């Protein structure tokens, strides 16, 4: 609760958000103590204002270009509301679903070129759209248009090209004559090779939303 309060009071201070979210991420991550994880997840789910605080924080981190706290916030939301758990429905404060929908759609659109941020943002959309009020808010806020644009880009090969380029840029490897850097090169090659499967998974989730 203290961590969420800190995020709420300092939404434009990424340093505070990074520390607070790292604590929450540790507590709700897969592999954490089951009792602790369940309790913290319950505390973050209710009241609905806490969910909105995390969503709005993610939106502000995204707008400010603060990728580290943004990724942590996305991870926390995904751990609390797993996209594959259909029985877990996130709730938002009455009449503020549109506010949350716009924030999540903006994140989805803004980071389409960054696989590490795009995939968790897509999974959050799947989780939240199971709430009927959020599903309607997504539609009214133009999610369908954004999804169709992304699916068209993926069908044209643009997503694969962009994401593979990101992997190459982040994992630039120089292999020396002594073999130094070979392992890193193998890891980068494997990541690019597995890219097709990740894109197929994203396409399936996008079509589910459509």
């Amino acid at each position: 609760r203290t961590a969420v309060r800190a995020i709420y009071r300092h939404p434009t201070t990424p340093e505070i958000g990074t520390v607070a979210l790292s604590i929450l991420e540790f507590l709700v991550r897969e592999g954490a103590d089951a009792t602790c994880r369940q309790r913290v997840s319950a505390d973050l789910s209710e009241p609905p204002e806490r969910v909105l605080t995390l969503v709005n924080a993610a939106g502000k981190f995204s707008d400010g270009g603060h990728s580290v706290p943004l990724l942590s916030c996305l991870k926390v939301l995904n751990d609390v509301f797993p996209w594959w758990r259909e029985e877990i429905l996130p709730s938002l404060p009455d009449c503020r679903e549109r506010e949350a929908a716009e924030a999540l759609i903006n994140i989805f659109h803004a980071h389409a070129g960054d696989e590490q941020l795009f995939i968790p943002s897509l999974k959050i959309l799947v989780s939240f759209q199971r709430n009927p009020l959020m599903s309607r808010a997504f539609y009214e806020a133009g999610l369908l248009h954004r999804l169709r644009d992304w699916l068209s880009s993926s069908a044209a090969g643009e997503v694969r090209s962009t994401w593979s380029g990101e992997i190459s840029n982040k994992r630039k490897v120089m292999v020396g004559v002594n073999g130094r850097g070979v392992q890193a090169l193998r890891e980068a090659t494997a990541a690019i090779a597995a890219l097709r499967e990740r894109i197929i998974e994203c396409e399936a989730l996008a079509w589910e939303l459509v």
Side-chain angles (χ1 to χ4, degrees):
R1 297 177 184 179
T2 301
V4 174
R5 192 176 299 116
I7 295 169
Y8 176 78
R9 290 179 176 175
H10 306 279
T12 58
T13 309
E15 295 80 8
I16 294 176
T18 298
V19 174
L21 285 162
S22 65
I23 295 172
L24 295 178
E25 188 179 345
F26 177 80
L27 294 173
V28 299
R29 78 193 190 286
E30 185 176 352
D33 177 78
T35 302
C36 177
R37 184 182 186 189
Q38 184 177 10
R39 181 175 179 179
V40 173
S41 294
D43 282 344
L44 292 177
S45 301
E46 295 290 342
E49 284 76 11
R50 290 178 185 162
V51 180
L52 184 62
T53 293
L54 291 174
V55 171
N56 281 338
K60 287 183 171 60
F61 293 141
S62 175
D63 293 342
H66 307 300
S67 59
V68 174
L70 170 58
L71 182 57
S72 288
C73 202
L74 296 177
K75 287 181 177 179
V76 169
L77 285 168
N78 272 305
D79 282 330
V80 175
F81 305 108
W83 66 271
W84 46 272
R85 294 282 301 276
E86 295 187 9
E87 73 279 11
I88 300 179
L89 299 178
S91 59
L92 280 299
D94 291 342
C95 301
R96 300 189 69 181
E97 292 85 5
R98 179 65 179 263
E99 179 182 342
E102 290 178 349
L104 293 175
I105 292 172
N106 287 339
I107 295 170
F108 168 83
H109 177 65
H111 301 283
D114 188 333
E115 177 191 359
Q116 298 302 314
L117 293 171
F118 177 83
I119 292 179
S121 71
L122 174 61
K123 290 180 177 179
I124 288 172
L125 293 177
V126 174
S127 299
F128 276 64
Q129 66 86 29
R130 294 191 180 114
N131 177 324
L133 294 176
M134 280 300 300
S135 181
R136 179 175 179 175
F138 280 142
Y139 178 79
E140 294 176 346
L143 176 59
L144 185 60
H145 173 70
R146 294 300 188 190
L147 288 168
R148 286 175 173 169
D149 283 349
W150 184 84
L151 285 166
S152 296
S153 296
S154 184
E158 296 171 6
V159 173
R160 180 182 178 87
S161 176
T162 301
W163 288 7
S164 61
E166 280 291 312
I167 293 173
S168 299
N169 290 334
K170 291 179 179 178
R171 304 194 184 193
K172 286 184 177 179
V173 179
M174 297 295 291
V175 179
V177 293
N178 60 352
R180 185 178 182 181
V182 170
Q183 182 59 34
L185 178 61
R186 288 174 178 168
E187 291 175 358
T189 302
I192 293 175
L195 187 59
R196 182 174 180 273
E197 294 182 4
R198 296 196 295 276
I199 291 177
I200 289 175
E201 179 186 7
C202 288
E203 289 176 340
L205 292 176
W207 278 116
E208 179 181 336
L209 285 166
V210 170

